[in-house]
Amino acid sequence: MAPLRHRTAAVLISPEQFIGFLSAALLITISPGPDNLMVLSVGMSRGRRQGMVFGLGCALGCLSHTLLATLGVSALIKASPLAFGALKLVGGAYLIWLGIGALRSRGGARVDGSGLPDESLRKLFAKGLFANAVNPKVVLFFLSFLPQFVVAERGDVSWQTAQLGLLFTAQGVLLFGLLGYFSGAVGAWINRHPGAGMWMDRVAGAIFVGLGLKLIISR
């Protein structure tokens, strides 16, 4: 049993990976986007509990993307380390493209909490889960974003990818839960300060471009 524990511990993500990835994930998650704005809308119109349940569904939808990313990266590693390198380069280019789009954003995000239909907690959870899980843009984002923080030299790339995906999901559960709980105050603040979304987009855009450029230049 001891050798197995040692082998498992050897492929845990490092503190540097943890801090770097979590910092980027938090900034990206709080930047105004369809998921978090919908969580705020549900919370403002239906109540805190409904907003938190819908947000939980959105966050847990990331587990499906984590599985796809883990299987995809694992298959590439088995096929060819060169293919994995190509994935990271293509992913880096995609992140740069996302970053440029965010940097050019004019902001102006608003939260509209009116006119949403009356739905049960179970239906709200399923709606959030399904909307995130089947979103092809999120699938592509995970396949591009997670490998940027994988260090192949540490071994077991698929397990590293899984850890990063679980970490992204965990911070999403926390932040979306807080957004749902404080939806009224946060939504009102965003509506009073529409330019705030622009600056959050700028920060997220800089992170995307920086990650992509760092990868491309390092190669």
Coordinates of all heavy atoms in Angstrom, one line a residue, residues 35-69:
D35 N -23.6 32.5 -17.6 CA -23.9 31.7 -16.5 C -24.1 32.5 -15.2 O -25.2 32.4 -14.5 CB -22.8 30.6 -16.2 CG -22.9 29.5 -17.2 OD1 -23.9 29.3 -17.9 OD2 -21.9 28.8 -17.4
N36 N -23.1 33.3 -14.9 CA -23.3 34.1 -13.6 C -24.3 35.1 -13.7 O -25.0 35.4 -12.7 CB -21.9 34.6 -13.1 CG -21.2 35.4 -14.2 OD1 -21.8 36.0 -15.1 ND2 -19.8 35.4 -14.1
L37 N -24.6 35.7 -14.9 CA -25.6 36.7 -15.0 C -27.0 36.0 -14.8 O -27.9 36.6 -14.3 CB -25.5 37.5 -16.3 CG -24.3 38.4 -16.5 CD1 -24.4 39.1 -17.8 CD2 -24.3 39.5 -15.4
M38 N -27.1 34.8 -15.3 CA -28.4 34.1 -15.2 C -28.6 33.7 -13.7 O -29.7 33.8 -13.2 CB -28.4 32.8 -16.0 CG -29.7 32.0 -15.9 SD -31.2 33.0 -16.4 CE -31.0 33.0 -18.2
V39 N -27.5 33.3 -13.0 CA -27.6 33.0 -11.6 C -28.1 34.2 -10.8 O -29.0 34.1 -10.0 CB -26.3 32.6 -11.0 CG1 -26.3 32.5 -9.5 CG2 -25.9 31.2 -11.6
L40 N -27.6 35.4 -11.2 CA -28.0 36.6 -10.5 C -29.5 36.9 -10.8 O -30.3 37.4 -10.0 CB -27.2 37.8 -11.0 CG -25.7 37.8 -10.4 CD1 -24.9 38.9 -11.1 CD2 -25.7 38.0 -8.9
S41 N -29.9 36.7 -12.1 CA -31.3 37.0 -12.5 C -32.2 36.1 -11.8 O -33.3 36.5 -11.3 CB -31.4 36.8 -14.0 OG -30.6 37.7 -14.7
V42 N -31.9 34.8 -11.7 CA -32.8 33.9 -11.0 C -32.9 34.2 -9.5 O -34.0 34.3 -8.9 CB -32.3 32.4 -11.1 CG1 -33.1 31.5 -10.2 CG2 -32.4 31.9 -12.5
G43 N -31.7 34.6 -8.9 CA -31.7 34.9 -7.5 C -32.5 36.2 -7.2 O -33.3 36.3 -6.2
M44 N -32.4 37.2 -8.1 CA -33.1 38.5 -7.9 C -34.6 38.3 -8.1 O -35.4 38.9 -7.4 CB -32.6 39.5 -8.9 CG -31.2 40.0 -8.6 SD -30.6 41.1 -9.9 CE -31.7 42.5 -9.7
S45 N -35.1 37.4 -9.0 CA -36.5 37.3 -9.3 C -37.2 36.2 -8.5 O -38.4 36.4 -8.2 CB -36.7 37.0 -10.8 OG -36.1 35.7 -11.1
R46 N -36.4 35.2 -8.1 CA -37.1 34.0 -7.4 C -36.7 33.9 -6.0 O -37.4 33.3 -5.2 CB -36.7 32.8 -8.2 CG -37.1 32.7 -9.6 CD -38.5 32.6 -9.8 NE -39.0 31.5 -9.1 CZ -38.9 30.2 -9.4 NH1 -38.3 29.9 -10.5 NH2 -39.4 29.2 -8.6
G47 N -35.5 34.4 -5.6 CA -35.1 34.3 -4.2 C -33.7 33.7 -4.1 O -33.2 33.1 -5.1
R48 N -33.1 33.8 -2.9 CA -31.7 33.3 -2.7 C -31.6 31.8 -2.9 O -30.7 31.4 -3.6 CB -31.3 33.6 -1.3 CG -31.0 35.1 -1.0 CD -30.7 35.3 0.5 NE -30.2 36.7 0.7 CZ -29.9 37.1 1.9 NH1 -30.1 36.4 3.0 NH2 -29.5 38.4 2.1
R49 N -32.5 31.0 -2.4 CA -32.4 29.6 -2.5 C -32.4 29.2 -3.9 O -31.7 28.3 -4.4 CB -33.5 28.9 -1.7 CG -33.3 27.4 -1.6 CD -34.2 26.8 -0.6 NE -35.7 27.0 -0.9 CZ -36.7 26.4 -0.3 NH1 -36.4 25.6 0.7 NH2 -37.9 26.7 -0.6
Q50 N -33.3 29.7 -4.7 CA -33.5 29.4 -6.1 C -32.2 29.8 -6.9 O -31.7 29.0 -7.8 CB -34.7 30.1 -6.7 CG -36.0 29.5 -6.3 CD -36.5 29.9 -4.9 OE1 -35.8 30.7 -4.3 NE2 -37.7 29.5 -4.5
G51 N -31.7 30.9 -6.6 CA -30.4 31.4 -7.3 C -29.3 30.4 -6.9 O -28.5 30.1 -7.8
M52 N -29.2 30.0 -5.7 CA -28.1 29.1 -5.3 C -28.2 27.7 -5.9 O -27.2 27.1 -6.4 CB -28.1 29.0 -3.7 CG -27.7 30.3 -3.0 SD -27.8 30.2 -1.2 CE -26.5 29.1 -0.9
V53 N -29.5 27.2 -6.0 CA -29.7 25.9 -6.6 C -29.4 25.9 -8.1 O -28.7 25.0 -8.6 CB -31.2 25.5 -6.4 CG1 -31.5 24.3 -7.3 CG2 -31.4 25.1 -4.9
F54 N -29.8 27.0 -8.8 CA -29.5 27.1 -10.2 C -28.0 27.2 -10.4 O -27.4 26.6 -11.3 CB -30.2 28.3 -10.8 CG -29.9 28.5 -12.3 CD1 -30.6 27.8 -13.2 CD2 -29.0 29.4 -12.7 CE1 -30.4 28.0 -14.6 CE2 -28.7 29.6 -14.0 CZ -29.4 28.9 -15.0
G55 N -27.3 28.0 -9.6 CA -25.9 28.1 -9.7 C -25.1 26.8 -9.4 O -24.1 26.5 -10.0
L56 N -25.7 26.0 -8.5 CA -25.1 24.7 -8.2 C -25.2 23.8 -9.4 O -24.2 23.1 -9.8 CB -25.8 24.1 -7.0 CG -25.3 22.7 -6.6 CD1 -23.9 22.7 -6.2 CD2 -26.2 22.1 -5.5
G57 N -26.3 23.9 -10.1 CA -26.4 23.1 -11.3 C -25.4 23.5 -12.4 O -24.8 22.7 -13.0
C58 N -25.3 24.8 -12.6 CA -24.3 25.4 -13.6 C -22.9 24.9 -13.2 O -22.1 24.5 -14.1 CB -24.4 26.9 -13.6 SG -25.8 27.6 -14.4
A59 N -22.5 25.0 -12.0 CA -21.2 24.6 -11.6 C -20.9 23.2 -11.7 O -19.8 22.8 -12.3 CB -20.9 25.1 -10.1
L60 N -21.8 22.3 -11.3 CA -21.6 20.9 -11.5 C -21.7 20.4 -12.9 O -21.2 19.3 -13.2 CB -22.7 20.1 -10.6 CG -22.6 20.3 -9.1 CD1 -23.7 19.5 -8.4 CD2 -21.2 19.9 -8.6
G61 N -22.2 21.2 -13.8 CA -22.1 20.9 -15.2 C -20.7 20.8 -15.7 O -20.4 20.2 -16.7
C62 N -19.8 21.5 -15.0 CA -18.4 21.5 -15.4 C -17.8 20.1 -15.2 O -16.7 19.8 -15.8 CB -17.6 22.4 -14.5 SG -18.0 24.2 -14.8
L63 N -18.4 19.2 -14.4 CA -17.9 17.8 -14.2 C -17.8 17.1 -15.6 O -16.9 16.3 -15.8 CB -18.7 17.1 -13.2 CG -18.6 17.6 -11.8 CD1 -19.5 16.8 -10.8 CD2 -17.1 17.5 -11.3
S64 N -18.9 17.3 -16.4 CA -18.9 16.6 -17.7 C -17.7 17.1 -18.6 O -17.1 16.3 -19.3 CB -20.2 16.8 -18.4 OG -20.4 18.2 -18.7
H65 N -17.4 18.4 -18.5 CA -16.3 18.9 -19.3 C -15.0 18.4 -18.8 O -14.0 18.2 -19.5 CB -16.4 20.4 -19.3 CG -17.7 21.0 -19.7 ND1 -18.4 20.6 -20.9 CD2 -18.5 21.9 -19.1 CE1 -19.5 21.2 -21.0 NE2 -19.6 22.0 -19.9
T66 N -14.9 18.3 -17.4 CA -13.7 17.7 -16.8 C -13.4 16.3 -17.3 O -12.3 15.9 -17.7 CB -13.8 17.7 -15.3 OG1 -13.9 19.1 -14.8 CG2 -12.6 17.1 -14.6
L67 N -14.5 15.5 -17.4 CA -14.4 14.1 -17.8 C -13.9 14.1 -19.3 O -13.0 13.3 -19.6 CB -15.7 13.4 -17.7 CG -15.7 11.9 -18.2 CD1 -14.7 11.1 -17.4 CD2 -17.1 11.4 -18.1
L68 N -14.5 14.9 -20.1 CA -14.1 14.9 -21.6 C -12.7 15.4 -21.7 O -11.9 14.8 -22.5 CB -15.1 15.9 -22.3 CG -16.5 15.3 -22.5 CD1 -17.4 16.4 -23.2 CD2 -16.5 14.1 -23.4
A69 N -12.3 16.4 -21.0 CA -10.9 16.9 -21.1 C -9.9 15.9 -20.6 O -8.9 15.7 -21.2 CB -10.8 18.2 -20.3

